Amino acid sequence: MENSRNAMQRKPIRPIAAICNNMGMGKDGKVPWSLPAEFKFFIDTITGVTRPGRMNILVWGRLCWHSFPEALLPLPNALHVVLSNTLKAAPDHAHFLCQDFESAVRLASEPPLADLVETIWVIGGARVYVDTLKHPWCDLLYLTDVMADFDCDVFFPEFDREIFKVQERFPGIPSEIQEENGIKYKFQVFKRIRDA
Ligand SMILES: NC(=O)c1ccc[n+]([C@@H]2O[C@H](COP(=O)([O-])OP(=O)(O)OC[C@H]3O[C@@H](n4cnc5c(N)ncnc54)[C@H](OP(=O)(O)O)[C@@H]3O)[C@@H](O)[C@H]2O)c1
């Protein structure tokens, strides 16, 4: 695997999610809370590029893709990759269909897209987060801490907090606790400080 990666342009791979007290992140195919400013932070983050004309690759599990509000598509600066072994073609508004996470990484890191792509943002769900956290190119994890209990049926995977260390301060990330709709939450960025 490492040899075949040598021919690829290394791209930062960054999972992004919001999780509540028990690491829950979804219920019945939806996010169980309404935090509009947190959602705006999510959209601004995954669509942010350093120069006009650059793009981010967004990697979605099939259920995440179908739960995203269609009215918000297309997102600027974004190429969407949906992961599925049952779909036969990329769904409406998505650009690519891949059968596994490594194929999505390869797509972003090899010609013709490699010179265009800045960051691979991983939007979820649970299985692709697991793949992502194991990947050596995963340098940062964006994980909003929603400080409340919600009934969830999908959970963010456990990860090693000695490998991914929470940053006290991170450029562009508010460090104070936020509150919306009576729910407190905190933006967090974890940085990989060593290999697994
Ligand atoms: N709070 C948050 O920040 C957040 C973030 C993400 C998701 N969520 C929530 O989580 C739930 C959706 O996540 P989920 O884990 O249930 O589903 P999901 O990962 O979005 O979708 C599962 C399907 O995607 C495909 N898939 C996922 N990973 C794959 C991989 N590595 N390789 C190939 N195919 C892959 C498979 O499709 P096929 O069956 O077609 O093969 C799989 O059955 C929703 O409730 C959503 O709102 C919340």
Side-chain angles (χ1 to χ4, degrees), residues 17-27 31-33 35 143-156 161 183-186 188:
I19 60 168
C20 64
N21 283 342
N22 57 356
M23 296 190 59
M25 60 178 193
K27 172 77 175 168
V31 174
W33 46 81
L35 299 173
L143 200 54
T144 299
D145 177 14
V146 177
M147 300 159 158
D149 295 316
F150 286 90
D151 183 23
C152 291
D153 57 15
V154 186
F155 298 85
F156 194 87
R161 288 166 196 252
I183 302 167
K184 289 191 168 55
Y185 64 95
K186 194 170 189 304
Q188 298 183 116

Side-chain angles (χ1 to χ4, degrees), residues 46-101:
I46 61 177
T47 58
V49 290
T50 59
R51 284 196 274 133
R54 303 300 295 270
M55 306 289 272
N56 293 328
I57 289 272
L58 309 188
V59 182
W60 307 75
R62 176 173 54 80
L63 298 177
C64 282
W65 174 259
H66 288 300
S67 74
F68 190 77
E70 204 176 340
L72 296 183
L73 297 169
L75 292 177
N77 310 325
L79 292 171
H80 303 286
V81 179
V82 174
L83 299 182
S84 169
N85 288 283
T86 58
L87 295 177
K88 299 284 175 261
D92 283 355
H93 305 291
H95 300 87
F96 303 100
L97 172 68
C98 284
Q99 270 73 42
D100 54 53
F101 179 57

Side-chain angles (χ1 to χ4, degrees), residues 79-153:
L79 292 171
H80 303 286
V81 179
V82 174
L83 299 182
S84 169
N85 288 283
T86 58
L87 295 177
K88 299 284 175 261
D92 283 355
H93 305 291
H95 300 87
F96 303 100
L97 172 68
C98 284
Q99 270 73 42
D100 54 53
F101 179 57
E102 192 61 36
S103 305
V105 174
R106 190 168 294 281
L107 183 74
S109 318
E110 291 182 345
L113 293 184
D115 288 339
L116 194 69
V117 170
E118 283 195 352
T119 303
I120 301 170
W121 287 104
V122 178
I123 313 300
R127 182 168 145 205
V128 67
Y129 286 140
V130 171
D131 294 345
T132 306
L133 291 163
K134 281 193 272 191
H135 199 289
W137 295 359
C138 177
D139 60 346
L140 299 174
L141 159 63
Y142 283 59
L143 200 54
T144 299
D145 177 14
V146 177
M147 300 159 158
D149 295 316
F150 286 90
D151 183 23
C152 291
D153 57 15

